[in-house]
Amino acid sequence: GPFAGEGSPAPGLEPGDTVIVLDEKEHTDFRRRGTDLICQKDLMLVEALCGFTKAIKTLDNRQLLVHCLPGEVIPDKAIKCVMGEGMPVYRDPFEKGRLIIQFSVK
């Protein structure tokens, strides 16, 4: 691995490997599935029928605007995907997964 032989040496011994363990924390707005991020958004019936613009705060504190045009009816449990707004792909930080928005019509 990239940290092979980087551990603290002991007298008379070869340095061992450094092992890094990441503990993924729960997030209040997003769930992770591979490189995809999933969030839940509630819609009022009038929004689902007549269109809306919703702001979603991304993990890096940007405001992402999600639009639905009037006439584009959003049924309960509908999904919209925003490409490139998920988690970075392993070994390719410029490639990102999807942000999957699940709508719940109230």
Side-chain angles (χ1 to χ4, degrees):
F3 299 108
E6 298 288 328
S8 299
L13 298 174
E14 290 282 318
D17 297 342
T18 297
V19 177
I20 298 172
V21 177
L22 299 177
D23 187 20
E24 190 173 276
K25 289 185 179 180
E26 291 286 322
H27 193 275
T28 55
D29 298 330
F30 299 100
R31 281 190 342 262
R32 182 176 181 173
R33 187 173 64 204
T35 58
D36 292 337
L37 284 177
I38 303 166
C39 72
Q40 185 93 25
K41 284 290 168 194
D42 291 338
L43 291 180
M44 310 242 313
L45 183 58
V46 68
E47 293 174 307
L49 296 175
C50 301
F52 61 87
T53 298
K54 291 269 186 197
I56 297 176
K57 189 175 182 181
T58 62
L59 290 176
D60 57 357
N61 287 325
R62 290 177 295 119
Q63 289 290 327
L64 187 67
L65 292 179
V66 177
H67 304 279
C68 179
L69 300 174
E72 182 188 345
V73 176
I74 301 290
D76 190 38
K77 309 240 186 307
I79 292 175
K80 269 191 181 258
C81 290
V82 183
M83 303 305 286
E85 289 294 339
M87 297 298 290
V89 173
Y90 179 65
R91 295 193 186 273
D92 188 357
F94 298 106
E95 180 81 20
K96 292 186 177 175
R98 304 170 295 176
L99 172 62
I100 300 172
I101 307 158
Q102 295 176 330
F103 293 104
S104 179
V105 179
K106 301 292 179 192

